[in-house]
Amino acid sequence: MKYTPGPWKMRPNGDISSAPRGGKAVSVCSISWGMSASDDKPGNARLIQTAPQMSEALDELMLLVTTPTVSQAILGNPKLLPKAKQIIENAKIVLEAATGEPQAVWPRVDHTKPKLE
């Protein structure tokens, strides 16, 4: 996944920067709010600045559910399986949109991804 790592911070003027702990802030982009309603700006800003963390969380979720123990537990539980499949498919769709890369079909494992420790 290639993007400027977070955490991202957004200023009221729409400038977004990455401010890693102990590192120098780096400009990511600037958002022009145009004619959007003022009520939408804070919510949109929160979504934009948390996008890296959300993407990383979904990536971790996919790593977790493809571990043999977890995938076998999900597949072996008929009550859990339908909802789990829906959640996993939604995470896969979002990650594909965010990264521009295809994701493995669950429960297959993508061995090119780092492993959970």
Side-chain angles (χ1 to χ4, degrees):
M1 210 175 332
K2 296 192 181 200
Y3 60 85
T4 305
W8 287 7
K9 302 287 183 193
M10 181 177 283
R11 294 192 176 122
N13 67 357
D15 288 341
I16 300 173
S17 61
S18 171
R21 290 183 183 171
K24 184 177 179 181
V26 176
S27 178
V28 173
C29 65
S30 184
I31 301 297
S32 174
W33 296 111
M35 298 300 290
S36 70
S38 62
D39 292 346
D40 295 346
K41 290 177 187 177
N44 291 340
R46 284 190 302 276
L47 283 173
I48 292 166
Q49 75 183 26
T50 58
Q53 291 95 330
M54 287 190 290
S55 183
E56 290 166 6
L58 288 174
D59 201 36
E60 289 291 320
L61 170 70
M62 294 305 288
L63 286 170
L64 177 65
V65 299
T66 57
T67 59
T69 305
V70 175
S71 62
Q72 289 169 7
I74 294 169
L75 290 166
N77 186 329
K79 287 186 174 183
L80 178 64
L81 184 59
K83 187 63 175 177
K85 279 180 147 179
Q86 181 183 15
I87 291 166
I88 293 164
E89 182 61 20
N90 287 342
K92 179 181 167 287
I93 289 167
V94 171
L95 280 172
E96 286 177 348
T99 65
E101 299 173 3
Q103 300 292 308
V105 175
W106 184 82
R108 285 192 316 192
V109 177
D110 182 350
H111 294 287
T112 65
K113 297 261 184 178
K115 302 292 181 213
L116 291 175
E117 298 190 21

